[in-house]
Every structure is written in C-alpha cells, then in structure tokens.
Amino acid sequence: MDSKVVLPENICDDEVVGYLAQRYRTTPSRVVARYLEQEGVITTTSDEGQPEFRLTPNEMEIFKDMGIRPSAIEFTKQF
C-alpha cells in the first residue's frame, strides 16, 4: 500500500524554507522532505545526485514553530 503526505501548497515558498534550501544547496521541497524524514513521518527521501544533509535541532524547532505538519496522509491500494 502506498501513501501520500499532503502539505500546504505554499510551504516551499516560505522564506525560511528558501533560506535553508540555499544554505544546503538544494531545493525547498528537498528541505521539507528532510524535515519530514527526520520527524519520522516518511522513511526515506534520498535522491542520487542530491547532497546529503541533516537539519540541526534548531532548524527542526523552527519548522515545528512554523506549524509545518502534514494536513493529511492518504493511503492508496496498488494492484
């Protein structure tokens, strides 16, 4: 069974997310995915060719303070 995490669509436009993407030389969506991975919401986000990074505890707290949490997790059955 596959699942899909649903987040607010403008999350990647946030200036904090953009700042972290520049800091880690990656995309805003990759920063958000890393946050979700470190929070245990998703299991893996590694992409070949993408630099590996970990958000610091302070950066994780910033995400939590922003209220970034999935609004839904949808499960789909694959045949």
Side-chain angles (χ1 to χ4, degrees):
M1 190 177 331
D2 290 338
S3 62
K4 175 173 69 172
V5 177
V6 181
L7 295 167
E9 64 183 58
N10 63 346
I11 194 167
C12 289
D13 297 332
D14 188 275
E15 46 184 79
V16 171
V17 176
Y19 169 80
L20 292 173
Q22 286 181 337
R23 177 178 180 187
Y24 290 110
R25 294 186 174 106
T26 191
T27 64
S29 60
R30 184 78 181 97
V31 172
V32 172
R34 176 59 71 184
Y35 166 72
L36 293 173
E37 181 180 351
Q38 286 183 230
E39 275 294 288
V41 175
I42 59 178
T43 56
T44 185
T45 61
S46 63
D47 295 328
E48 285 191 33
Q50 286 288 328
E52 284 300 315
F53 66 93
R54 288 195 61 77
L55 297 170
T56 66
N58 185 50
E59 292 165 345
M60 293 293 289
E61 285 302 315
I62 290 169
F63 269 99
K64 291 175 188 173
D65 289 346
M66 291 170 60
I68 297 176
R69 299 203 183 359
S71 60
I73 299 177
E74 298 176 9
F75 294 94
T76 56
K77 188 174 182 179
Q78 300 293 318
F79 295 98

